[in-house]
Amino acid sequence: MSTVLVLIVFMSVPWRSGAETDLEASKAFGVLAREQSLAEGYVTMLKDFGRQDADSYAEGIRLYASAKAEFDGLIARMSHDIIRRRPFDGSEQFQAVLERAVERRLAFTRHVDAILDARGTSDTRSVKDYIRLPAELIAAIKDAAGAIWDKYWEIRDTRRQEILDQLEALKWKPFHELGGSN
């Protein structure tokens, strides 16, 4: 199921609670979906513009795999902690996983940016606008996690699996499944 479809379904579900928490939960899934889409877009750019330098291309694949592992681990951690009723606030383990995920995502996107800059194909007005400073990205994802936590415990049990399924759909795709020139 595509990320866009998951978000459309999530935002169109008539939750039984207040509109404010619905909006916050929608924004929360949007933050994670943005990170997923950004990473997938950067893979496409790496495939299109980075293949000429085998070492740099291999490093890009390694950096993506590392970032993917950390973000997938972050999402799995969120799901696990939600089910176990362990709040994210104040959790040093959650904070460490979050910081590693952000660090690895930034390393990957910066690597691809360097390839694009070296080729003169970088457009600083478009993709780079979405990249945040580590502290801003950590705060955005932490807020997103809190909103998802709140929504999960606010709704009926029958709807909770939908949130877990939506989190699962936000895991990053394997490198070989993503676009780019062949």
Side-chain angles (χ1 to χ4, degrees), residues 108-127:
F108 169 65
T109 54
R110 287 176 180 153
H111 177 76
V112 176
D113 281 337
I115 291 170
L116 297 175
D117 289 344
R119 292 183 47 96
T121 55
S122 180
D123 180 358
T124 58
R125 291 174 293 116
S126 58
V127 179

Side-chain angles (χ1 to χ4, degrees), residues 80-148:
H80 183 264
D81 285 354
I82 286 171
I83 292 168
R84 302 286 183 283
R85 293 183 181 250
R86 291 187 208 146
F88 308 127
D89 293 349
S91 168
E92 291 178 18
Q93 293 170 334
F94 178 76
Q95 184 70 26
V97 170
L98 172 58
E99 288 174 5
R100 275 194 316 272
V102 166
E103 174 187 309
R104 302 283 164 66
R105 196 283 273 166
L106 289 171
F108 169 65
T109 54
R110 287 176 180 153
H111 177 76
V112 176
D113 281 337
I115 291 170
L116 297 175
D117 289 344
R119 292 183 47 96
T121 55
S122 180
D123 180 358
T124 58
R125 291 174 293 116
S126 58
V127 179
K128 289 183 181 178
D129 290 342
Y130 292 101
I131 297 174
R132 299 173 179 223
L133 296 172
E136 292 174 340
L137 187 51
I138 288 169
I141 294 172
K142 197 171 193 177
D143 289 347
I148 291 168

